């Protein structure tokens, strides 16, 4: 399978296209939900509002191990599953409506350079772990940074005005030069350790 165009489908169930390693071109204009591992280990290139204009929910591991994906821009997604883009090729990620960044959401996305989550309040454990190219992240409403969330990234500046809790090893081995957390109350072990 090299292309998939489904004009009327609204839900893609678990593992719908998993391991379709030749699948590159997709269009799902009415899909609102992508199930767990639906596109895991495929060759898709874009995950944006052009392919998924009505998408609101992404399941666990739904786009994991998709090395050809470069741009992710899903302004209507409010719910994202654990490890949704783990080990993907994503370079830029934008989620205007995502409420919570789940565990391992972009874990080991080593090409990721920038990420924007303007309304998210929670940044889960391992969310950006081992994103070794990550230089810019925008999560202005975050109140919690999960354990190992930014371990071994390329961030040099960490500024989160509303964060009250920084969990274990959140920024470990990231080489942070400047940190500003005016609301932080709890800073757990090895949070900034090198």
């Amino acid at each position: 399978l090299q292309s998939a165009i489904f004009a009327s489908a609204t839900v893609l169930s678990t593992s719908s296209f998993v391991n379709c390693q030749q699948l590159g071109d997709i269009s799902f204009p009415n899909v609102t939900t992508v199930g767990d591992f639906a596109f895991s280990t495929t060759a898709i290139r874009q995950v944006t509002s052009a392919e998924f204009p009505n998408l609101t929910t992404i399941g666990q591991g739904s786009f994991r191990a998709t090395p050809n994906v470069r741009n992710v821009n899903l302004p209507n997604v409010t719910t994202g599953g654990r490890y949704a883009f783990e080990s993907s090729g994503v370079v830029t990620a934008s989620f205007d409506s995502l409420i919570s960044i789940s565990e391992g959401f972009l874990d080991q996305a080593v090409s990721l350079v920038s990420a924007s989550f303007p309304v998210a309040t929670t940044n889960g454990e391992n969310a950006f772990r081992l994103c070794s190219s990550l230089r810019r992240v925008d999560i202005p409403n975050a109140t919690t940074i999960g354990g190992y969330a930014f371990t071994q990234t390329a961030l040099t500046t960490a500024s989160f005005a509303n964060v009250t809790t920084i969990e274990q090893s959140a920024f470990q081995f990231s080489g942070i030069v400047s940190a500003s957390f005016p609301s932080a109350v709890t800073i757990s072990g090895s949070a900034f350790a090198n």
Side-chain angles (χ1 to χ4, degrees):
L1 182 65
Q2 296 182 356
S3 67
I5 300 171
F6 290 80
S8 300
T10 58
V11 175
L12 299 181
S13 298
T14 299
S15 303
S16 295
F17 298 95
V18 69
N19 291 328
C20 289
Q21 296 183 18
Q22 302 301 314
L23 180 60
D25 297 321
I26 58 173
S27 178
F28 297 90
N30 288 300
V31 162
T32 59
T33 301
V34 171
D36 296 350
F37 306 103
F39 292 97
S40 178
T41 323
T42 62
I44 59 173
R45 292 181 288 273
Q46 292 272 101
V47 183
T48 71
S49 55
E51 292 78 26
F52 297 98
N54 292 298
L55 187 61
T56 59
T57 302
I58 297 172
Q60 177 179 341
S62 50
F63 297 97
R64 68 171 299 279
T66 48
N68 297 331
V69 170
R70 294 291 180 264
N71 178 33
V72 176
N73 181 4
L74 296 170
N76 299 316
V77 167
T78 57
T79 304
R82 298 167 60 247
Y83 296 92
F85 292 91
E86 177 193 8
S87 300
S88 67
V90 176
V91 175
T92 61
S94 179
F95 291 85
D96 292 348
S97 304
L98 192 67
I99 297 166
S100 178
I101 305 169
S102 60
E103 178 184 347
F105 194 69
L106 282 150
D107 184 39
Q108 300 181 69
V110 297
S111 298
L112 183 67
V113 173
S114 66
S116 176
F117 298 82
V119 301
T121 57
T122 302
N123 186 18
E125 182 176 338
N126 297 332
F128 302 93
R129 186 180 68 97
L130 302 179
C131 290
S132 54
S133 301
L134 183 62
R135 295 176 178 83
R136 182 176 182 275
V137 63
D138 182 26
I139 317 173
N141 292 303
T143 58
T144 301
I145 304 292
Y148 303 92
F150 294 100
T151 295
Q152 293 188 37
T153 64
L155 292 175
T156 57
T157 301
S159 180
F160 294 85
N162 298 307
V163 164
T164 58
T165 302
I166 304 169
E167 296 182 357
Q168 182 176 356
S169 302
F171 295 91
Q172 190 172 19
F173 304 126
S174 286
I176 297 292
V177 175
S178 173
S180 176
F181 293 82
S183 302
V185 175
T186 302
I187 304 171
S188 299
S190 301
F192 296 90
N194 282 317

